[in-house]
């Protein structure tokens, strides 16, 4: 039997369609290319809206739906066919301020304005279980979510998260298992964010058991502060994999939250072997 390959964005769309069957308040707004069919549109055509080209009208429509009690998901993942989809990154904040949860590619960075919007929960799930849990959390929540999803095959890391599927995801998901006591306080800890960062961290752990691995899903200020507190209690040297570099990136924000710790970020070329070597070199440099 062959292995089925699917994308993280497909997991989101299928999970949202399932949630829509359970909750009549859930609404999907997304731009689709010609002749494409969305699972949510197939199952709930009366609650699916094509992302239109009249930007102000679309934002107003979403705001009206939210005011009426609907849980609106506005998605900018696909290659849309109109100017509204093309300009979607510029409209992300407007949809969030209207009260909708917004789903975007993981390549879209968090703007300074978004980080200053305290009521928005920012999530970068990796893997099937995390995507499902984040989308279900957004459907239950009264605050909007900004969800960033990778474009490739999902990379699961849920072995030590017992709430996978229906519980909330903790601030830090530890990939340590029964070895936690052996790693804690000794050596360097990798911090992975998103599909690419998680894939790289798991590849590093296959090559070397030394670096511990902490995985982050929620990156809004309150969750990142909680994660920083937990990380700093266990380690004082970190290599961040994934998340966006520069101002507003995970590495810089963790550095500010953990002033007594060494926090280093690494670039990812997309060539896994070279990236693993780069991470292991960073780990060696950070050793005491």
């Amino acid at each position: 039997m062959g292995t089925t390959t699917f994308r993280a964005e497909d997991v989101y769309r299928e999970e949202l369609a399932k949630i829509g069957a359970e909750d009549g308040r859930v609404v999907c707004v997304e731009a689709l290319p010609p002749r494409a069919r969305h699972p949510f549109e197939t199952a709930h055509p009366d609650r699916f809206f094509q992302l239109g080209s009249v930007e102000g009208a679309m934002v107003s429509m979403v705001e009206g739906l939210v005011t009426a009690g609907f849980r609106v998901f506005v998605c900018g993942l696909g290659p849309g066919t109109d100017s509204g989809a093309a300009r979607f990154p510029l409209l992300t904040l407007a949809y969030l301020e209207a009260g909708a949860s917004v789903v975007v590619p993981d390549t879209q960075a968090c703007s300074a304005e978004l980080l200053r919007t305290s009521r928005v929960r920012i999530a970068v799930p990796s893997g099937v279980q995390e995507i499902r849990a984040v989308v279900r959390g957004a459907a239950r929540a009264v605050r909007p979510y900004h969800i960033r999803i990778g474009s490739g095959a999902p990379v699961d890391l849920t072995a030590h998260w017992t709430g996978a599927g229906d519980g909330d995801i903790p601030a830090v998901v530890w990939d340590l298992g029964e070895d936690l006591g052996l790693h804690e306080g000794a050596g360097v800890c990798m911090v992975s964010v998103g599909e690419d960062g998680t894939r790289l961290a798991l590849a590093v752990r296959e090559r070397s058991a030394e670096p511990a691995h902490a995985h982050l899903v929620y990156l809004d200020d309150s969750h990142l502060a909680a994660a920083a507190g937990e990380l700093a209690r266990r380690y004082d040297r970190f290599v961040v994999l994934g998340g966006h570099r520069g101002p507003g990136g995970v590495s810089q924000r963790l550095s500010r939250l953990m002033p007594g710790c060494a926090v280093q970020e690494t670039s990812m070329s997309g060539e896994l072997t070279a990236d693993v070597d780069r991470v292991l070199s960073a780990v060696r440099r950070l050793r005491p």
Side-chain angles (χ1 to χ4, degrees):
M1 179 179 293
T3 300
T4 301
T5 300
F6 56 95
R7 299 173 300 173
E9 60 195 72
D10 296 329
V11 177
Y12 155 71
R13 292 184 175 112
E14 291 171 3
E15 189 64 22
L16 190 65
K18 292 178 184 177
I19 297 170
E22 303 163 5
D23 188 344
R25 299 172 300 170
V26 174
V27 171
C28 177
V29 180
E30 183 168 349
L32 294 176
R35 294 180 296 279
R37 193 72 175 174
H38 196 293
F40 195 99
E41 181 184 16
T42 300
H44 320 291
D46 57 326
R47 286 181 279 136
F48 178 87
F49 297 91
Q50 181 79 4
L51 188 63
S53 59
V54 184
E55 298 161 358
M58 291 301 296
V59 174
S60 297
M61 183 196 78
V62 167
E63 186 174 18
L65 287 167
V66 172
T67 301
F70 289 97
R71 303 294 173 87
V72 183
F73 286 76
V74 182
C75 180
L77 287 174
T81 58
D82 52 44
S83 61
R87 290 175 53 82
F88 189 85
L90 303 177
L91 295 169
T92 294
L93 195 60
Y95 285 118
L96 289 167
E97 289 175 342
S101 289
V102 176
V103 184
V104 299
D106 193 11
T107 53
Q108 183 175 329
C110 293
S111 66
E113 292 82 2
L114 175 59
L115 292 173
R116 287 196 296 266
T117 308
S118 59
R119 65 185 297 264
V120 174
R121 178 173 283 190
I122 302 170
V124 188
S126 172
V128 173
Q129 296 300 327
E130 288 182 5
I131 294 170
R132 288 175 175 165
V134 165
V135 175
R136 287 189 171 273
R140 294 192 304 264
V142 295
R143 64 174 63 187
Y145 276 47
H146 182 267
I147 304 171
R148 306 206 318 254
I149 291 180
S151 59
V155 183
D156 280 299
L157 175 66
T158 55
H160 309 299
W161 169 40
T162 58
D166 45 33
D168 200 5
I169 302 172
V172 180
V173 179
W174 291 98
D175 180 29
L176 294 174
E178 296 178 356
D179 294 333
L180 178 60
L182 299 176
H183 286 280
E184 187 170 350
V188 181
C189 180
M190 299 181 293
V191 179
S192 69
V193 178
E195 301 279 358
D196 291 340
T198 306
R199 183 179 292 106
L200 178 54
L202 294 177
V204 171
R205 290 296 300 276
E206 288 180 358
R207 283 264 302 271
S208 173
E210 177 193 345
H213 176 202
H215 174 65
L216 307 184
V217 175
Y218 292 111
L219 304 182
D220 48 273
D221 283 346
S222 61
H223 281 85
L224 200 63
E230 185 172 345
L231 291 169
R233 284 193 297 271
R234 297 184 175 181
Y235 300 94
D236 61 3
R237 285 154 287 158
F238 302 91
V239 179
V240 177
L241 314 179
H244 292 275
R245 298 165 63 86
V250 174
S251 179
Q252 287 199 9
R253 294 169 68 199
L254 283 176
S255 293
R256 290 194 296 268
L257 291 166
M258 302 186 298
C261 298
V263 181
Q264 180 176 327
E265 61 184 354
T266 63
S267 60
M268 292 187 292
S269 67
E271 206 290 300
L272 192 59
T273 300
D275 288 342
V276 168
D277 290 339
R278 187 178 296 110
V279 173
L280 289 174
S281 294
V283 169
R284 287 192 291 270
R285 289 194 299 270
L286 286 173
R287 286 174 182 160

